[in-house]
Amino acid sequence: MADVRAQLVTRVRGMLSEALGATRSRLAAADAELVAGRERLDRTRRAAAAVPARVGAARDRRLTEIDARHTARLAELARRAADAARREAPGAASAPWNRWQATPAGRAEPPGAVRIGTVRIAGAEPVPALVPLLDAGHAHLAGGDRDGLASVVPALLLRSVGRADPGAVRLYGYDPEHLGGGLAGFAPLGTAGLLTSVGPGGLGRLLDELVEQIRRINATVLAGEYASLRELAAATGRRPEPWRVAVLLGGDELSRHERGQLDRVVRTGAACGVHLVVRGIDLPDDRTVTRIVVDPDDARIAGLPVALDDPPPPALVTETCRAVASRVAAGPPPTPFTDLLPPPEEYWREDSAHGLSAPIGEGPHGRPVLLTLGDYPPHALIGGPSGTGKTNLIFAWIGALAARYSPAELEFYLLDFKEGVSFARFAKGRRDPSWLPHMRLVGINVNTDREFGLALLRFLAEELRRRADAAKKHEVTKLAELRAVDPTGHWPRIVAVVDEFQALLAGRDVVAREAADLLEDLARRGRSQGIHLVLASQDVRGIEALWGRPALVAQFTLRIALPKALRILAERNDAAQSLPRHHAVVNAESGLAEGNEVARIPSASDWETWSELQHRLWRMRPQDAAPARLFDGDAIPRLAEAPDFRALVAPEQGMPRNPVALLGEIIDVQSRSASLRLPRAPGRNLAVLGTRVDEACAVLDAAARSLARQYAPGAARFSIACLDPDADPAARALYEDLPGDASWYDEETVAELMAEVGDGLAAPGTPRTPHFLLLYAVDAAAGALAGKAGTRTGREQLRRILHDGPERRTHVLAWWRGVARMRVDLGGAGARTDQIGAWVALDVQGGELASSLYPGSGGPDWYPRPWRGLYFDRAVHRTGQVIIPYGPTR
């Protein structure tokens, strides 16, 4: 029992000992863990204490990075905003006043916004503070700083005026408190009609006018096609209306009507180019209104703080306005000529069967003003003083028509009675081989050759007769009907332009009377056959040939009046008196005021402007196209270039039955030569009358050379007798160039020539060889011919040759230095002159040619002029024919 108890105690003591040891071990471990925990706690506390500093440093670094990026972004945005502002308001719209000058943007390009100050941004360059005005909206000024407000108005206006084309901005000033003093610097604009000052009590009328302008622009200019003038200008490249800016500087309380009109302008004005700059009058809230508030210490635009610019220097305002007014007074520049032309791919697409229509310029609303020639109106009358652009208008009209109608549809005949060669560009030239394919005739420098104008009218009258005969044949009455039934015929419309036409009708002679008769007939009947007349003049006063011919003037229902033109429009229509330069009144109602249209005429008279168009049309010409006939009244024609001379040839066998002597160029449309036929018939001799040596020699030279061209060498005999030393060089040159059978005689031997030829005519039979006697200054041989030459005197032999020679193939072509001298050689004052079948009078008055030389009494209507002659062949002519002697061959 005891042992069991002892063993149990021992075991218990062992177990307690083990438990005590384990407990002590766990206690030690717990103490160690406690120490480690305390260490961890200390470390955690130390780490926790370091976190705020580290996070703060990271936060500070992040904030610094964000601030740097923000500053850079803000600077970039400010730079972009400044660049955008400069693009939106370039040049005069934002330049500083010390470098400011007007920089027009053009009528089609909106001037955009204008600068009145800057927006300050820390760390960035200042951004221009802009106010949208023209084509954008209205400006409303308020605040307590009256001086600051007063500086904003001239800045807005000057920048707007300087950014637009001269005259494109019109100002209306309403300043009842200062009676216009607030706009005093802009006063020079008033002289050009660009500033209208409205006095106290006139606000209602001004607002009514602005509302009416808006209504008119919406109805007639925009016409539902465009939402605004800015949109119209962007689409068409033209701005037909100016900007209108009404500056309203205070006043009494508005009436109900005035308030209503003001609200209408605010709502609808910007689209129509009508804008308000208002101070002291409330404007309704609208997206088009920009609010500008200026207080002594603060200025804001739409709530944004702004540093206002200084006001423009008063001298700069005045000088700019004076320059603008001067430019406007001089008139707007012409529009480009290309505005009149269709796209190149549409050239020659129009049909002229029912008429011709083309734009001549731009109307006040930006729409083209058309000129039409057809059944109505059939003809045009153009008037304007020298320097107002008459020739330029004609060129513009020709170009617009030529680009639309092919040469098969339209032909031109141009005649210019004033001195100058402006029309010559349409014909083939030496430096420029191109010509306008539509052109058939160009006459220049014809101020002394009224006969050429008459020849043109005769040609047109003949063409009218030809067309009328064709119409009768096909039983139609109008050109359109004729072209429909005869599509293979050549029936283009003809436009004949005669500049300074009053020269043709001046005086009371035969030329003026016949020209007036032909004009009246062409004007009356030409419309139905597609022949249209365009007459241009500086002034129609003093056209004596038109007196008593109201029917002629009445046919010209299309009237075009240039600035200051007189008597082109109807008597009480003075619209042309207030026209600016480069403009014209177009009126298709015979000049009545209700038919007025104002057109701005492009610049078309400069050759560089025309060159591209003419060369393009020339390259499009038909293969068989021939250049226009160019008649230059100052040029001397050449025999070798004459078509009739080139056509002369010697027959292969025998001799020509009726040889022809060419004497000069006829003043006519076809460039024909004046010809004298020399058959075996009485009187087939020629007398050249006058004292002009060069011209007389030229006539005989052309006659001899043209005769020689018709004979084989040796088939004809030429005898040249020169009795005037001044004519010797020309006669010698002819002698050397004629075939080998030519003979030379002088004062000592001319009597032998007369005796030989005269006695030879008494021989039986007819000589086979024609003989042509070319006698230079035959009257100078009075002494030589007075003596005996065989059984007869030299004069008697000359008369015998003149009388009997032509029937025996012997013809005299002689130059007498006066009619009286010729009569002496023919037998005296009462002698017959029928042996002289033809004559050319040079410096001989018409009265000297009366009696037997010319039919009727009083002689021909002829006045001598340089290098012209009057040719009359009693076998052919009823009246004399003006010719131009051919120039020297060498």
Side-chain angles (χ1 to χ4, degrees), residues 169-341:
V169 175
R170 297 182 182 177
L171 304 180
Y172 300 82
Y174 175 68
D175 187 9
E177 294 183 9
H178 296 89
L179 300 179
L183 300 177
F186 295 87
L189 295 178
T191 61
L194 302 178
L195 173 62
T196 302
S197 296
V198 180
L203 179 60
R205 292 189 300 273
L206 172 58
L207 293 174
D208 289 344
E209 180 182 348
L210 297 178
V211 170
E212 174 58 24
Q213 294 288 356
I214 294 170
R215 185 207 61 77
R216 178 187 60 79
I217 292 170
N218 277 320
T220 63
V221 181
L222 302 178
E225 297 183 37
Y226 302 97
S228 67
L229 288 176
R230 183 169 189 165
E231 182 181 321
L232 183 152
T236 65
R238 298 189 301 271
R239 185 180 180 89
E241 292 285 332
W243 289 278
R244 295 174 172 86
V245 180
V247 184
L248 312 181
L249 303 179
D252 298 331
E253 185 71 22
L254 271 60
S255 67
R256 181 176 180 181
H257 173 75
E258 291 170 344
R259 171 57 61 185
Q261 296 291 67
L262 185 66
D263 291 350
R264 293 183 180 93
V265 174
V266 170
R267 290 196 313 271
T268 61
C272 297
V274 178
H275 307 280
L276 301 173
V277 176
V278 178
R279 189 187 73 198
I281 301 176
D282 290 335
L283 290 185
D285 289 332
D286 191 271
R287 61 181 181 81
T288 61
V289 177
T290 299
R291 307 283 182 179
I292 304 171
V293 180
V294 182
D295 290 319
D297 299 323
D298 184 33
R300 293 178 178 271
I301 297 179
L304 186 66
V306 173
L308 293 177
D309 290 336
D310 292 332
L316 180 63
V317 176
T318 303
E319 291 172 5
T320 301
C321 293
R322 285 175 179 166
V324 170
S326 177
R327 288 281 304 276
V328 172
T335 57
F337 174 56
T338 52
D339 286 357
L340 298 184
L341 306 181

Side-chain angles (χ1 to χ4, degrees), residues 75-124:
E76 175 64 15
L77 291 176
R79 185 186 63 78
R80 292 184 181 182
D83 290 343
R86 280 190 287 269
R87 288 194 300 270
E88 180 68 16
S94 62
W97 298 123
N98 59 352
R99 299 195 306 270
W100 191 91
Q101 61 180 358
T103 54
R107 293 179 66 86
E109 180 185 353
V114 294
R115 164 179 163 160
I116 64 169
T118 56
V119 176
R120 300 287 183 180
I121 300 176

Side-chain angles (χ1 to χ4, degrees), residues 455-821:
L456 172 60
L457 296 181
R458 288 172 176 168
F459 173 84
L460 295 176
E462 178 60 25
E463 177 65 16
L464 176 61
R465 184 199 61 77
R466 185 180 76 88
R467 295 186 175 206
D469 290 345
K472 289 180 182 178
K473 176 182 176 181
H474 292 283
E475 298 181 346
V476 295
T477 58
K478 295 182 178 181
L479 181 68
E481 299 169 348
L482 176 60
R483 291 177 57 165
V485 299
D486 184 19
T488 60
H490 182 64
W491 308 113
R493 288 194 178 267
I494 291 175
V495 176
V497 181
V498 183
D499 197 5
E500 302 302 339
F501 75 96
Q502 74 278 0
L504 175 61
L505 303 177
R508 298 181 180 273
D509 57 6
V510 171
V511 173
R513 289 193 294 272
E514 183 179 356
D517 291 338
L518 289 171
L519 270 177
E520 186 168 349
D521 184 58
L522 287 167
R524 181 170 49 84
R525 300 194 298 130
R527 70 171 73 200
S528 60
Q529 302 304 333
I531 298 178
H532 308 284
L533 303 174
V534 177
L535 304 184
S537 173
Q538 293 185 21
D539 192 356
V540 298
R541 289 184 300 183
I543 303 177
E544 298 179 2
L546 290 183
W547 291 355
R549 292 181 180 268
L552 171 58
V553 179
Q555 298 298 326
F556 290 81
T557 52
L558 177 57
R559 311 287 179 86
I560 305 172
L562 293 156
K564 309 301 180 184
L566 299 175
R567 300 187 66 185
I568 295 296
L569 303 176
E571 183 176 356
R572 297 185 179 180
N573 187 353
D574 59 355
Q577 303 310 305
S578 57
L579 277 180
R581 291 181 61 198
H582 313 300
H583 286 68
V585 175
V586 176
N587 188 302
E589 301 296 334
S590 299
L592 297 177
E594 53 267 26
N596 287 350
E597 285 188 275
V598 176
R600 185 182 179 191
I601 310 300
S603 176
S605 58
D606 181 73
W607 171 238
E608 294 300 327
T609 304
W610 247 98
S611 179
E612 182 178 353
L613 173 64
Q614 178 158 311
H615 277 266
R616 181 185 291 272
L617 298 181
W618 180 62
R619 291 191 293 269
M620 294 170 59
R621 72 191 186 280
Q623 292 184 352
D624 59 349
R629 149 92 157 117
L630 174 63
F631 175 84
D632 185 351
D634 287 347
I636 298 177
R638 301 289 174 177
L639 178 66
E641 300 172 359
D644 289 339
F645 179 77
R646 293 198 299 266
L648 295 175
V649 293
E652 295 182 0
Q653 295 181 349
M655 292 183 295
R657 294 184 57 189
N658 295 315
V660 176
L662 304 183
L663 308 178
E665 183 176 280
I666 301 172
I667 297 182
D668 74 347
V669 173
Q670 290 95 348
S671 188
R672 296 175 300 167
S673 298
S675 60
L676 170 64
R677 295 197 172 275
L678 298 176
R680 293 175 55 193
R684 293 291 83 196
N685 302 300
L686 173 71
V688 181
L689 306 171
T691 61
R692 293 177 181 155
V693 177
D694 293 342
E695 297 172 27
C697 292
V699 174
L700 294 181
D701 184 273
R705 293 179 187 275
S706 57
L707 287 169
R709 191 176 175 87
Q710 300 167 66
Y711 293 93
R717 179 185 174 189
F718 292 87
S719 296
I720 301 174
C722 183
L723 309 174
D724 185 344
D726 292 336
D728 190 83
R732 284 282 181 185
L734 174 63
Y735 170 69
E736 293 171 1
D737 291 344
L738 286 176
D741 283 347
S743 304
W744 179 265
Y745 299 89
D746 55 21
E747 188 173 0
E748 296 179 358
T749 58
V750 66
E752 297 175 8
L753 173 64
M754 295 296 105
E756 174 198 347
V757 177
D759 293 342
L761 293 175
T766 301
R768 292 185 54 83
T769 303
H771 190 184
F772 302 101
L773 282 73
L774 296 144
L775 309 180
Y776 288 75
V778 63
D779 57 284
L785 296 181
K788 291 290 184 179
T791 60
R792 298 171 181 264
T793 66
R795 277 204 180 105
E796 291 173 341
Q797 292 286 21
L798 176 60
R799 295 168 195 158
R800 183 178 185 179
I801 296 169
L802 290 169
H803 188 272
D804 299 333
E807 295 180 82
R808 305 195 68 188
R809 295 195 177 96
T810 300
H811 306 274
V812 175
L813 294 86
W815 164 37
W816 279 275
R817 292 175 299 179
V819 177
R821 288 172 176 259

